[in-house]
Amino acid sequence: MAQTRTRTLHSDPSQDSDDLLCSDSNNHDNQQEQPEHEEPSSLPETASSSLASPRGYLSGEVRAERAWAHWTKLGRPKLIVAPMVDNSELPFRMLCRRYGAEAAYTPMLHSRIFTESEKYRNEEFTTCKEDRPLFVQFCANDPEILLNAARRVEPFCDYVDINLGCPQRIARRGNYGAFLMDNLPLVKSLVEKLALNLNVPVSCKIRVFPNLQDTIKYAKMLEDAGCSLLAVHGRTRDEKDGKKFRANWNAIKAVKNALRIPVLANGNVRHMEDVQKCLEETGCEGVLSAESLLENPALFAGFQTAEWIVGSEESSKDGNLNQADLLVEYLKLCEKYPVPWRMIRSHVHKLLGEWFRIQPGVREDLNAQNRLTFEFLYNLVDRLRELGVRIPLYKKDTDDAEILADDLAS
């Protein structure tokens, strides 16, 4: 495995952890229907409190000042890779950073398994010195276990993040993610435990309640508990299908206006025009992208897939880059920073999905391959090219691209 920059406990893995993972984006070969679940109807009343920190008592105003000072020290990144289980691992993060990403989240890590299994730690969390700014995300429902896990990674990241937004069935069974919206005193205790005991800031990623005022109360509670940065996914817990339900940027804007700490927006970011529009409409400090980056890791560099240039072909041009090129770059990064093959297989399907529709026989050969090798995957790319498959990524003409870049920099 890749050189990890974490400390580990030497303990034998006791169970298979795959059943405990959750992602907002489904793997290509393992999509499952998710059962309906009733949204939390109202927000429980919880008391706000002033919190201490490892450095002593801090008022809410001072905590907010420190939150902004830290964000400024990191360069105020605007373009951020969202957390994706099995998909936002080190090689993919580094690929996205090559193409404009300014910060990134790790995949969601299960805090209990992370503390118990050295194998899980070594496989699921790897990083390198260039992999910054970095959010390390955990799911949890026990403050002590979460703190134990967080202490292992805090020397190697810029935020320890708590996943409060996973809407999938496995999170419901495990009592974490968005299903902690039904137990806000527990959520508060998770945030407080980290804020009081870590030397790096605590961040949280949430989904919105159906009721806007409940969402605002929720966000303020997190801020009061010690959250230094909040990422808001503008969909509710039941709105799992991002293509069916558009994210509510107005709700994100309301949260941004109600808080004193930096706020990030998540949802509906498919290309750079979306980035600009989201920042303008929400007032947030930055945006997260997930599913769109899986298909186009060069999104933050201004590249677009063909579906997003329909109607604006005259102002777009072939960017002299395609998804097969990006896959080759990704594979080379995987050789440098090894990760489990299941992650690599998932990225191959995401990047070459449209290519496989043209040559389904190549996809069938990939699916029939139980044990992958880099040689096989490089040959697969060569085979597609020899068959004449090429689907370019597009860029806006230079003048439009420069205007957009200037707007984002301002």
Side-chain angles (χ1 to χ4, degrees):
M1 300 308 301
Q3 179 76 28
T4 61
R5 303 183 67 211
T6 72
R7 294 166 292 173
T8 59
L9 285 176
H10 295 283
S11 59
D12 294 328
S14 59
Q15 63 179 18
D16 183 1
S17 61
D18 288 347
D19 187 50
L20 294 163
L21 301 180
C22 162
S23 176
D24 285 344
S25 57
N26 295 323
N27 288 339
H28 180 278
D29 291 322
N30 192 32
Q31 295 187 359
Q32 295 182 352
E33 190 78 18
Q34 300 299 337
E36 293 298 321
H37 185 77
E38 185 179 353
E39 286 290 343
S41 58
S42 62
L43 187 71
E45 292 295 330
T46 55
S48 301
S49 63
S50 296
L51 301 175
S53 77
R55 299 167 191 159
Y57 176 85
L58 295 175
S59 68
E61 184 177 346
V62 172
R63 285 203 308 268
E65 290 175 356
R66 287 197 173 186
W68 278 104
H70 184 72
W71 189 241
T72 300
K73 181 180 178 181
L74 296 178
R76 298 196 177 201
K78 292 182 178 180
L79 311 175
I80 302 164
V81 180
M84 297 171 280
V85 169
D86 281 357
N87 286 140
S88 61
E89 80 292 350
L90 176 59
F92 187 74
R93 295 196 300 270
M94 297 304 291
L95 178 63
C96 292
R97 290 180 192 276
R98 283 184 182 178
Y99 288 93
E102 298 168 348
Y105 285 73
T106 67
M108 185 198 75
L109 303 169
H110 193 289
S111 58
R112 179 180 58 78
I113 302 172
F114 196 85
T115 62
E116 294 176 352
S117 170
E118 181 180 8
K119 179 176 183 290
Y120 180 82
R121 291 193 297 273
N122 290 340
E123 287 189 354
E124 303 301 324
F125 175 59
T126 58
T127 188
C128 62
K129 65 180 181 179
E130 297 84 9
D131 186 30
R132 305 293 283 269
L134 180 66
F135 296 74
V136 178
Q137 186 184 80
F138 289 102
C139 69
N141 55 30
D142 183 297
E144 289 295 339
I145 291 174
L146 175 59
L147 177 60
N148 190 336
R151 279 176 167 160
R152 294 172 179 274
V153 302
E154 67 171 328
F156 314 111
C157 66
D158 301 286
Y159 290 91
V160 172
D161 187 79
I162 304 175
N163 182 322
L164 300 172
C166 179
Q168 304 298 343
R169 179 174 54 189
I170 193 65
R172 180 184 178 186
R173 291 207 305 265
N175 188 34
Y176 57 78
F179 297 93
L180 294 184
M181 294 167 80
D182 296 325
N183 188 352
L184 295 193
L186 174 57
V187 171
K188 182 180 177 183
S189 70
L190 293 170
V191 178
E192 287 179 338
K193 177 61 84 170
L194 296 192
L196 286 164
N197 292 284
L198 293 183
N199 291 310
V200 295
V202 181
S203 61
C204 298
K205 187 170 185 292
I206 66 170
R207 284 187 172 237
V208 298
F209 280 86
N211 180 282
L212 178 59
Q213 290 307 310
D214 285 344
T215 302
I216 292 173
K217 289 178 183 178
Y218 182 28
K220 286 184 174 180
M221 181 205 75
L222 294 170
E223 181 181 68
D224 291 343
C227 177
S228 292
L229 178 144
L230 186 65
V232 184
H233 189 148
R235 297 183 177 93
T236 69
R237 189 169 69 189
D238 279 347
E239 294 174 337
K240 292 185 274 288
D241 187 343
K243 294 182 179 180
K244 182 178 179 181
F245 301 101
R246 286 193 58 78
N248 185 345
W249 286 356
N250 289 330
I252 299 175
K253 179 181 180 179
V255 171
K256 163 63 186 172
N257 290 339
L259 299 190
R260 294 173 291 183
I261 59 175
V263 176
L264 306 177
N266 185 196
N268 303 347
V269 174
R270 302 154 300 180
H271 43 71
M272 286 302 289
E273 285 83 356
D274 284 342
V275 171
Q276 182 183 26
K277 187 180 298 184
C278 182
L279 292 175
E280 289 175 352
E281 293 189 14
T282 65
C284 285
E285 279 59 61
V287 300
L288 278 64
S289 184
E291 188 74 26
S292 295
L293 278 177
L294 295 180
E295 298 175 6
N296 175 20
L299 183 159
F300 288 143
F303 290 89
Q304 297 183 8
T305 54
E307 65 180 311
W308 302 118
I309 68 162
V310 175
S312 61
E313 289 87 350
E314 292 184 1
S315 63
S316 301
K317 61 182 180 180
D318 186 329
N320 294 318
L321 182 72
N322 60 61
Q323 289 146 315
D325 299 332
L326 292 169
L327 176 58
V328 170
E329 287 192 59
Y330 169 73
L331 293 175
K332 290 179 179 178
L333 286 165
C334 289
E335 291 189 85
K336 183 177 182 179
Y337 306 113
V339 293
W341 282 105
R342 72 177 190 277
M343 299 181 183
I344 298 174
R345 185 185 292 271
S346 175
H347 283 296
V348 173
H349 278 292
K350 290 290 186 181
L351 283 168
L352 297 183
E354 293 298 322
W355 300 55
F356 289 154
R357 288 184 178 90
I358 298 173
Q359 292 290 342
V362 180
R363 178 175 55 203
E364 291 171 5
D365 290 345
L366 171 62
N367 291 339
Q369 196 77 10
N370 292 326
R371 188 178 295 273
L372 293 178
T373 65
F374 287 110
E375 180 181 11
F376 174 84
L377 293 174
Y378 287 128
N379 287 338
L380 181 146
V381 172
D382 290 340
R383 181 179 166 192
L384 285 169
R385 288 169 171 166
E386 290 167 2
L387 289 168
V389 182
R390 183 180 183 275
I391 305 176
L393 295 172
Y394 295 88
K395 292 200 79 171
K396 292 290 185 182
D397 282 339
T398 303
D399 290 344
D400 291 340
E402 289 178 353
I403 291 171
L404 179 58
D406 289 342
D407 288 342
L408 289 173
S410 61

